[in-house]
Every structure is written in structure tokens, then in C-alpha cells.
Amino acid sequence: MGALSSLGLLAGVGVAGAGLAAGGCVYAALWPGSRFFGAALVAPPRPGELALTFDDGPNPAWTPRLLELLAAHDIRATFFLLGSHAHAAPDLVRRIVAAGHLIGNHSWDHPNLALTPRARIHQELRHTSECLEQITGRPVRYFRPPFGARRPAVLQAARELGLLPVLWNAMTSDWSEPSARRIAGRLTEKIDRLARRGRAANIVLHDGGHLDRGAYRAPSLSAAAILAAHYQATRRFVTVDAWESNL
Ligand SMILES: [Zn+2]
């Protein structure tokens, strides 16, 4: 981050952002809760609901175990897939969908879209949606920008492709935390705080890794199991499409 990212973001800011200082633009583009650049789905005022979302897969080493875990708890989740990983594991993508989970577009290979030229942004999103639609035979509606980075060019490309951006409101560094208990503990604090404020939780965990298609994800999966057991009796687990009408 720093001067370079500020320039990259400013280059994409239109009339609505012209009055903001560079710092304001960085905030608006990178802060998950920000709605400055247009409609994005986070979580509605339904404190009884949780959405488990998994990013950066599919991961041939860990996604199959995650599917077993979710089936054991009868939970449907949302998977934001990288096009490049999906292209390499189409059968796994079909298994995710066949199990009743929702899939979304997480770009082709996870660039920071706040710093990516406009033409490449469009290509990343379109290529991924086309790949997922070819594999599953179903249209792709949801898109999570890598790193949460948004700017008008990203949202415009998403709109042109009929994609709705989806952010989050409960995340911790699960990809680098070896303790499942600590991951689950931090997320539980956030989920409970959101509920006290009357808000559903849109929870991010990672079953994949954008730098490593077979990234080690045991702690993230175990954390998902802890959350599933902890909230199963008191909350409803939903996929993010359940919330689109609340936008
Ligand atoms: Zn990601």
C-alpha cells in the first residue's frame, strides 16, 4: 500500500469521488463495509443468520474434506472460486454445486483489482464466470473481489457481467493462524458482536490459497467445524443469495 496504491485508486475514481483526498479513496475502496462505490452485499439485519463463505478454492487437498464436514452438519455454504483453480479441478467444482452449495466468482488468479488495468479486470471476471458456467451449466451471480479491493472500474466490470459484489463482516487471518481454536474464537467474538447489533454474519474462511492450489487448510476447516457445532442449534446457516432481497 502507500503512494502507488493511492495513485492506482485515484485513476479509477469518477465524479463521485473527485472531492475525496487519496486517503479517503483508499478507505472507500478497501474497507469491506464501505458502500461508497455502489451496491455490495455484506449482511442484512437478521441476527439469527450466518453465512459461511470459503475463498480461494477449489483446493483438491482440502475442499473434499470441507464438503464432508458441511454435509455432516447439514450446512450449505458459499464458495468464491478462483477461475484458474476451478479450471484445473472441474470435477471438484461440480461436487461443490451438487452438494447444494453456492459458488461465486473470485477472479481468475487473484490480482489486486485496485491496481489492475481496466481491460484486465474485465477479462479476469469474464473468463472466470465463463469457466464456472461451462463447468456447472449454471449462471454465476456473485463476485467477491480479491483482497476486498473495489473501485468504479471493478464495479462497472461486475455490473456489465451481471455480477453482484459480495464483501464480508467477519474475518480473521485464518490462512496464517495455526490454531483452529484461536480462529474460531476470534470469529465467534465478531459474530456475537454483530448479533448484538442486530446484524447477520458474513464469515470468511479459506479452503484454498491463491498462491498454492493445494495450500494447507486444516486449521481453517477445523475452525469451520467448531463454528458449525457452536451455532447449529441457535442460528440458521444460509448461502449469500438468501440476502440479495435485503440490498
Ligand atoms: Zn481471496
Side-chain angles (χ1 to χ4, degrees), residues 1-9 22-23 25-27 29-31 111-116 146-150:
M1 292 291 102
L4 183 63
S5 64
S6 299
L7 285 173
L9 290 163
C25 294
V26 172
Y27 177 87
L30 297 178
W31 180 249
N112 184 343
L113 297 179
L115 305 173
T116 304
F147 309 111
R150 293 178 295 155

Side-chain angles (χ1 to χ4, degrees), residues 55-57 80 82 106-107 110 144-148 204 206 208-210:
D55 288 7
D56 296 358
F80 288 97
L82 290 177
H106 193 41
S107 82
H110 215 280
R144 176 169 280 160
F147 309 111
V204 179
H206 292 77
H210 67 279

Side-chain angles (χ1 to χ4, degrees), residues 6 9 19 26 41 72 82 88-89 93 97 103 105 133 148 158 161 171 185 188 195 222 224 230 239 245:
S6 299
L9 290 163
V26 172
L41 202 159
L82 290 177
V93 177
V97 171
I103 61 168
N105 180 332
E133 286 169 6
L161 295 164
M171 179 165 74
T188 300
S222 298
H230 184 71
T239 47
S245 60

Side-chain angles (χ1 to χ4, degrees), residues 4 22 26 45 56 77 97 100-101 107 116 126 131 138 141 151 177 183 186 207 228 235 240-242:
L4 183 63
V26 172
D56 296 358
V97 171
H101 305 294
S107 82
T116 304
R126 184 172 53 81
C131 175
R138 297 184 190 185
R141 169 68 178 143
R151 64 180 217 210
E177 168 58 68
I183 295 169
R186 284 188 209 122
D207 64 327
R235 308 288 177 92
V240 298
D241 52 340

